[in-house]
Amino acid sequence: ARTQGMSQWVDYENGMERESNRRFTQSRDLYHALHNNEIRIALQPQVDLASGAVIGAEALARWTRADGSQVPPSEFIPIAEACGLIVPLGRQIIELACQALAALRDAGHSRLPIAVNVSPLQLVHRSFPQELAATLARHGVDPAMLEIEITESSAMEDHLANGEMLARLRSAGFPIAIDDFGTGYSSLGHLRQLPATTLKVDRCFVAEIGKTHNRLAIADMIVLLGQRLNMRVLAEGVETREQAEWLMQRQCPAAQGYLFGAPEALPAFLRRLEGRPAH
Ligand code: C2E
Ligand code: CA
Ligand code: CA
Ligand code: CA
């Protein structure tokens, strides 16, 4: 038993070493990826449910390695957050979103906002709003065109500090979306204090539409809640006609999901808008 315990300990130690080696390799690779422009954005259309018109897009980070393989953001965003690269990575995403906004404007779509996902670690920097404003000014883009998405759980993590930062961003003219809404634990009181303009219904609730009745009621409540708080409600992960119909009946104005379009590179997004009246 004793030797077995010892060999388990050695296994554990080897495991820990492998794990820390893996982490080190990953963060080193990510650092190089960032400097070699391997991190890009894909734009997913957001639509007006009633008319089907594209009303904006969400920018999603994409890492394509030199060999063409893709690393999903669910893998590299947590690494970036753990090793301190999330701030420069976030800057790169915002820079790319501003470039896309300038390209959209030049193509005659100056009223289509782009939403970017922001980690709570980016919000702790006091100068974040000024930095954002400077990047936008460099591209001649209005703050109203860059929506800041923060997940419900991170907004609530340190709701006083984050709420204050969100209020500063809001007064600088940035729209604010609460992402993955319904999966965190916000009290309604705190939610009401957040200066958000959009409530994004998490896709797990949308996925239940047409299946069971329990979660369906949750999607229903979130739509009503958004209306009561004067926030725009946007349903995420809409994949079927049936879900879109149901949401429309519930007066949910906007949606995003594979039914309307997957995240795509800027040229494909621009082609999608072609032939449609400039918004
Ligand atoms: P999220 O912000 O909730 O983004 C929505 C995710 O759902 C995206 O996954 C998108 O590709 C996917 N999706 C869109 N429509 C559908 C649909 O109809 N069905 C299904 N099943 N999925 C759909 P993605 O691109 O893999 O991103 C995963 C997460 O990584 C994001 O979730 C976000 O939390 C994070 N992320 C992505 N880009 C960034 C970034 O630039 N910064 C930060 N901090 N986080 C990011
Ligand atoms: Ca998001
Ligand atoms: Ca989401
Ligand atoms: Ca999410």
Side-chain angles (χ1 to χ4, degrees):
R2 188 136 181 240
T3 41
Q4 205 204 338
M6 184 61 98
S7 83
Q8 273 173 1
W9 170 250
V10 170
D11 280 351
Y12 172 75
E13 252 202 340
N14 285 342
M16 288 291 277
E17 196 176 310
R18 265 198 307 279
E19 177 58 27
S20 80
N21 279 340
R22 202 172 57 90
R23 285 210 158 240
F24 175 75
T25 310
Q26 283 173 330
S27 50
R28 185 199 58 197
D29 285 3
L30 183 58
Y31 177 84
H32 288 295
L34 203 51
H35 289 269
N36 294 329
N37 290 322
E38 290 178 15
I39 309 284
R40 313 293 303 177
I41 55 171
L43 298 173
Q44 183 173 38
Q46 297 183 332
V47 304
D48 175 77
L49 270 169
S51 68
V54 176
I55 52 171
E58 177 178 1
L60 292 153
R62 292 291 175 263
W63 177 3
T64 309
R65 288 178 180 274
D67 65 6
S69 62
Q70 293 264 349
V71 186
S74 55
E75 232 171 76
F76 69 81
I77 296 293
I79 296 170
E81 288 180 327
C83 72
L85 282 172
I86 193 67
V87 169
L89 189 146
R91 261 189 214 122
Q92 164 82 344
I93 298 300
I94 286 156
E95 171 64 29
L96 293 169
C98 287
Q99 288 175 14
L101 282 167
L104 282 170
R105 177 198 59 213
D106 295 346
H109 304 284
S110 55
R111 305 259 114 234
L112 288 186
I114 292 180
V116 290
N117 293 285
V118 168
S119 158
L121 296 172
Q122 291 171 269
L123 292 185
V124 301
H125 294 264
R126 303 280 310 162
S127 57
F128 184 56
Q130 290 94 311
E131 201 191 296
L132 273 181
T135 308
L136 269 92
R138 201 152 34 73
H139 293 275
V141 173
D142 187 333
M145 294 297 112
L146 190 79
E147 185 170 56
I148 306 297
E149 280 195 14
I150 173 119
T151 63
E152 178 193 16
S153 47
S154 23
M156 290 303 152
E157 233 164 59
D158 187 355
H159 75 273
L160 289 178
N162 286 338
E164 198 224 40
M165 178 52 91
L166 293 177
R168 286 178 55 205
L169 290 166
R170 187 70 206 104
S171 55
F174 296 97
I176 289 161
I178 305 297
D179 202 0
D180 300 351
F181 190 76
T183 60
Y185 301 92
S186 19
S187 80
L188 292 182
H190 292 160
L191 176 66
R192 208 182 42 193
Q193 282 162 20
L194 283 180
T197 42
T198 296
L199 210 51
K200 296 188 81 172
V201 184
D202 190 78
R203 72 160 185 265
C204 70
F205 305 114
V206 173
E208 297 299 321
I209 296 174
K211 283 191 195 158
T212 60
H213 294 282
N214 190 18
R215 289 201 170 199
L216 208 152
I218 296 179
D220 217 354
M221 274 169 51
I222 297 174
V223 174
L224 284 170
L225 183 64
Q227 288 165 349
R228 288 297 294 272
L229 294 174
N230 269 323
M231 293 186 200
R232 177 179 78 127
V233 179
L234 185 146
E236 294 192 277
V238 176
E239 295 181 353
T240 70
R241 271 269 133 239
E242 187 190 8
Q243 291 164 350
E245 294 288 336
W246 185 91
L247 288 159
M248 228 184 317
Q249 277 168 16
R250 296 305 203 281
Q251 323 293 331
C252 174
Q256 184 182 340
Y258 297 155
L259 178 65
F260 308 106
E264 59 200 1
L266 176 64
F269 184 71
L270 283 167
R271 280 196 297 280
R272 169 188 298 280
L273 299 172
E274 255 169 44
R276 297 187 189 219
H279 205 78

